[in-house]
């Protein structure tokens, strides 16, 4: 029975030509739909692969720079000295190839890749270096980051404060100029008086002639002004760093690389505030004392280098102290002009000094200004000493916070005295913040890059590092190719078409370490 049943099941079949053609058309339609979906998938995969490859390339940023300076920089020299864009092309090509062939990965070892695409080429067409546009590319990245870090409201308040303080002393000359101009006018009055009296030296005065000549504090101050400023303001027991930069460690002294990518920096005063805060947060200065970090610093006074641009710590501190003196002199001179008691004491002293000359009140009023300027200078010396010793000084003083006396100028300077600490005042670093704000933001940005470069060169294996080899943005063109797959089952529809070629343009830009990428 079983054999008979099996025999009966062996039946011949046939299919008509029409049905064969119908099945072929249905198969062609199905395979065409599959291939069409595959083509659209390849387009999406090409875009995804290109973007992923660029992100993978830029993920190779310097860990050391990020950890110490909170910025992303991609070293395009691969540890060498020269910029190697072709090397980046190879890395980009490698990432594309690996992303397109997941069967190499253990997880997909037994999988099937229906896209079967190949990465034919990768070319970085444009790139932006950290040093481009005089450091503006780096500056914009930092400003974007700090916009999120400190907020617009805080930046606005800081901007108003710094601008107000800058404007309050913008019209004040340095005290040496005021002293020279005032004493020059007094000397001219004395000469005219002598000529009028037709005598070599005629004493005339409305009051009683003084028994002895009164010493002029201005003469003492003019002599003090000829001395090295650091010897005047450096607190006792403090030493100076002897570190120096090499000329090769500064971009200003060498030919630097340039990118090909356009970049737009929004030049506004708030950005200056943002960058000001970045410098104060990430760079060292004189008041920081001994360094407890793991960084080997090329200079100890880094913020001072930003403002001075000199090769040695000492010269940079000298430049900063000179600027601080101008600020303190201006603020102190303004205060003295507002203090009636001190102005009257200077006027009385001026009258006593000029009594033997007979020039009268006109000369005393002029000499009064020289005395006020000399007094402001001496108080400023004491202020800078206090700042360098770690004390705080009010921007605008009062009668309670004023320290020096017009009758003991020499003792105040030579005796190493310093102003009293003002708990509500600004410390040395806060005053540097003002100097940074008053400086050129492009120059500041360039010198920050030089500091980063010089410090990174002290890391083992990075002795040849150059900051002008570092990318912060790039544009690239990538080419992919995918052969036909499902249409190969339909010989009449299979052909050598170009539909499987894809050219993808992509771009990547670092937007700041803490602000996101």
């Amino acid at each position: 029975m079983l054999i008979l049943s099996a025999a009966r099941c062996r039946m011949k079949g046939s299919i008509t030509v029409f049905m064969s053609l119908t099945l072929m058309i249905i198969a062609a339609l199905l395979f065409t739909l599959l291939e069409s979906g595959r083509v659209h998938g390849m387009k999406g995969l090409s875009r995804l692969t290109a973007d992923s490859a660029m992100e993978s390339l830029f993920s190779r940023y310097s860990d050391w720079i990020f950890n110490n300076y909170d910025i992303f920089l991609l070293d395009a020299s691969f540890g060498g000295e020269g910029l190697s864009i072709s090397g980046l092309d190879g890395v980009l090509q490698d990432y594309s190839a690996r992303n397109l062939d997941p069967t190499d990965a253990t997880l997909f070892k037994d999988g099937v890749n229906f896209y079967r695409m190949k990465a034919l080429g990768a070319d970085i067409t444009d790139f932006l270096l950290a040093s481009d546009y005089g450091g503006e590319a780096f500056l914009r990245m930092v400003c974007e980051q700090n916009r999120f870090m400190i907020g617009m409201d805080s930046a606005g308040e800081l901007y108003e404060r710094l601008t107000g303080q800058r404007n309050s002393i913008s019209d004040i000359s340095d005290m040496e100029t005021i002293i020279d101009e005032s004493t020059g006018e007094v000397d001219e009055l004395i000469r005219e008086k002598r000529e009028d009296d037709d005598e070599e030296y005629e004493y005339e005065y409305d009051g009683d002639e003084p028994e002895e000549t009164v010493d002029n504090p201005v003469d003492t101050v003019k002599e003090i002004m000829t001395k090295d400023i650091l010897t005047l303001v450096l607190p006792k027991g403090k030493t100076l760093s002897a570190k120096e930069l090499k000329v090769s460690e500064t971009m200003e002294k060498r030919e630097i690389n340039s990118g090909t990518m356009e970049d737009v920096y929004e030049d506004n005063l708030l950005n200056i505030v943002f960058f000001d805060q970045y410098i104060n947060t990430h760079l060292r200065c004189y008041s920081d004392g001994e360094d407890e970090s793991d960084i080997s610093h090329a200079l100890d006074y880094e913020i001072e280098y930003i403002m001075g641009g000199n090769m040695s710590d000492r010269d940079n501190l000298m430049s900063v102290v000179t600027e601080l003196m101008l600020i303190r002199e201006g603020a102190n001179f303004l205060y003295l002009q507002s203090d009636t008691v001190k102005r009257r004491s200077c006027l009385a002293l001026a009258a006593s000094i000029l009594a033997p000359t007979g020039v009268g009140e006109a000369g005393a009023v002029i000499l009064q200004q020289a005395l006020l300027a000399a007094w402001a200078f001496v108080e400023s010396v004491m202020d800078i000493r206090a700042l360098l010793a770690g004390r705080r000084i009010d921007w605008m003083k009062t009668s309670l916070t004023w320290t020096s006396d017009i009758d003991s100028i020499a003792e105040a300077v030579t005796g190493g005295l310093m102003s009293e600490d003002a708990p509500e005042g600004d410390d040395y670093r806060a005053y540097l913040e003002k100097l940074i704000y008053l400086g050129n933001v492009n120059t500041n940005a360039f010198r920050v890059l030089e500091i980063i470069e010089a410090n990174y060169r002290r890391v083992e294996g990075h002795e040849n590092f150059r900051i002008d080899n570092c990318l912060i943005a790039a544009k690239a063109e990538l080419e992919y190719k995918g052969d036909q797959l499902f249409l190969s089952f339909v010989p009449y529809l299979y052909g050598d078409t170009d539909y499987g070629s894809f050219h993808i343009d992509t771009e990547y830009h670092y937007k700041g370490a803490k602000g996101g990428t």
Side-chain angles (χ1 to χ4, degrees):
M1 294 294 295
L2 292 175
I3 296 175
L4 180 62
S5 298
R8 290 180 178 178
C9 289
R10 296 190 186 98
M11 300 175 63
K12 294 182 178 181
S14 62
I15 185 172
T16 64
V17 174
F18 175 78
M19 181 59 69
S20 297
L21 293 175
T22 300
L23 290 176
M24 287 184 63
I25 292 173
I26 293 173
L29 175 62
L30 291 175
F31 287 130
T32 300
L33 292 175
L34 287 172
E35 190 70 9
S36 176
R38 178 172 170 268
V39 168
H40 285 287
M42 286 192 295
K43 289 180 180 179
L45 180 60
S46 297
R47 166 56 61 186
L48 181 63
T49 301
D51 292 342
S52 177
M54 280 291 279
E55 291 180 5
S56 298
L57 174 64
F58 276 83
S59 70
R60 299 176 61 152
Y61 59 85
S62 167
D63 290 338
W64 186 91
I65 294 178
F66 173 76
N67 292 332
N68 292 290
Y69 295 100
D70 289 328
I71 55 173
F72 292 115
L73 292 178
L74 174 64
D75 185 2
S77 69
F78 298 94
E81 293 186 31
L83 180 65
S84 178
I85 297 301
S86 60
L88 294 180
D89 292 340
V91 174
L92 196 60
Q93 168 75 5
D94 181 62
Y95 280 129
S96 291
R98 283 194 284 173
N99 287 338
L100 287 175
D101 192 9
T103 57
D104 286 345
T106 303
L107 180 63
F108 300 101
K109 186 175 182 180
D110 299 324
V112 178
N113 180 10
F114 284 101
Y115 287 120
R116 300 182 182 180
M117 295 181 65
K118 297 179 180 179
L120 299 184
D123 180 32
I124 293 181
T125 56
D126 292 291
F127 57 93
L128 186 67
L129 300 175
S131 56
D132 282 346
Y133 303 98
E136 284 188 359
F138 164 73
L139 180 62
R140 181 183 59 77
M141 181 174 65
V142 170
C143 290
E144 287 180 357
Q145 168 191 331
N146 281 267
R147 183 176 285 108
F148 294 98
M149 293 290 288
I150 68 176
M152 294 297 292
D153 292 339
S154 298
E157 293 175 3
L158 183 59
Y159 163 72
E160 293 295 337
R161 177 168 63 85
L162 292 175
T163 302
Q165 293 172 344
R166 178 186 64 181
N167 294 338
S168 67
I169 62 170
S170 59
D171 298 327
I172 300 297
S173 301
D174 64 279
M175 297 304 101
E176 186 173 3
T177 300
I178 295 176
I179 289 173
D180 289 342
E181 291 177 352
S182 299
T183 54
E185 292 182 28
V186 171
D187 291 341
E188 182 64 27
L189 287 175
I190 294 175
R191 282 193 294 269
E192 291 176 357
K193 177 63 176 175
R194 291 174 181 175
E195 291 174 359
D196 291 342
D197 294 342
D198 197 25
E199 293 181 12
E200 183 177 356
Y201 200 87
E202 180 71 22
Y203 294 135
E204 249 182 63
Y205 185 56
D206 294 338
D208 297 330
E209 184 173 340
E211 296 181 357
E212 58 183 19
T213 303
V214 178
D215 292 334
N216 188 350
V218 173
D219 296 333
T220 303
V221 169
K222 290 177 72 173
E223 182 180 352
I224 292 173
M225 285 180 170
T226 62
K227 298 181 179 180
D228 182 88
I229 187 65
L230 283 182
T231 62
L232 293 176
V233 302
L234 199 66
K236 292 182 178 180
K238 292 286 187 177
T239 58
L240 294 177
S241 166
K243 289 185 177 180
E244 295 185 3
L245 273 181
K246 297 178 181 178
V247 175
S248 60
E249 293 178 313
T250 60
M251 290 191 293
E252 297 178 9
K253 302 294 190 296
R254 71 169 187 249
E255 184 177 352
I256 63 174
N257 297 314
S258 298
T260 59
M261 190 172 173
E262 293 185 2
D263 187 60
V264 179
Y265 165 67
E266 185 181 354
D267 187 10
N268 60 60
L269 294 177
L270 278 182
N271 275 345
I272 299 177
V273 173
F274 291 136
F275 193 62
D276 192 340
Q277 292 300 292
Y278 176 84
I279 293 175
N280 269 289
T281 302
H282 294 86
L283 271 63
R284 289 174 48 77
C285 67
Y286 171 85
S287 63
D288 288 342
E290 295 185 5
D291 182 25
E292 297 181 357
S293 68
D294 296 330
I295 304 178
S296 176
H297 293 270
L299 293 173
D300 285 340
Y301 311 154
E302 295 174 337
I303 298 181
E304 288 84 349
Y305 173 75
I306 301 303
M307 291 174 285
N310 300 301
M311 294 296 100
S312 69
D313 273 334
R314 189 187 192 283
D315 290 344
N316 287 318
L317 185 60
M318 172 82 78
S319 297
V320 168
V321 166
T322 301
E323 292 294 321
L324 286 176
M325 279 295 296
L326 291 176
I327 288 180
R328 288 310 313 153
E329 286 174 358
N332 289 335
F333 188 74
L334 283 175
Y335 163 71
L336 288 174
Q337 295 287 2
S338 67
D339 191 311
T340 304
V341 174
K342 289 182 174 58
R343 281 195 295 109
R344 287 177 178 173
S345 66
C346 284
L347 182 60
L349 179 58
S352 299
I353 294 170
L354 295 177
T357 68
V359 296
E361 184 178 354
V365 171
I366 297 174
L367 184 57
Q368 176 196 35
Q369 295 302 307
L371 288 168
L372 291 172
W375 201 354
F377 172 82
V378 172
E379 184 75 10
S380 299
V381 170
M382 299 173 64
D383 290 344
I384 304 304
R385 281 182 189 155
L387 290 173
L388 295 179
R391 296 184 180 182
R392 295 175 176 268
I393 299 298
D394 284 331
W395 175 259
M396 188 61 69
K397 291 197 169 185
T398 66
S399 59
L400 297 178
T401 57
W402 193 267
T403 306
S404 61
D405 188 87
I406 190 63
D407 296 325
S408 56
I409 282 180
E411 292 81 357
V413 175
T414 59
L417 301 179
M418 64 179 68
S419 300
E420 295 296 328
D421 183 61
E424 301 300 322
D426 291 330
D427 61 9
Y428 176 74
R429 183 175 279 274
Y431 272 90
L432 292 188
E433 180 182 66
K434 297 175 177 62
L435 293 183
I436 297 170
Y437 179 73
L438 295 173
N440 183 281
V441 66
N442 295 93
T443 301
N444 293 346
F446 217 66
R447 289 175 179 168
V448 169
L449 289 173
E450 290 178 331
I451 288 294
I452 295 174
E453 177 185 276
N455 290 343
Y456 198 17
R457 285 186 172 189
R458 280 153 179 77
V459 177
E460 185 178 356
H462 298 277
E463 293 80 4
N464 298 319
F465 173 76
R466 288 179 49 158
I467 200 75
D468 56 312
N469 288 337
C470 292
L471 272 67
I472 61 175
K475 294 179 180 179
E477 181 181 293
L478 297 97
E479 184 178 0
Y480 302 100
K481 175 69 175 177
D483 295 329
Q484 293 180 347
L485 177 62
F486 292 108
L487 291 186
S488 62
F489 294 102
V490 187
Y492 298 103
L493 298 179
Y494 182 74
D496 185 19
T497 65
D498 194 41
Y499 79 91
S501 296
F502 305 95
H503 296 270
I504 305 297
D505 294 323
T506 185
E507 179 178 353
Y508 192 88
H509 201 305
Y510 290 136
K511 294 184 180 179
K514 304 302 183 184
T517 58

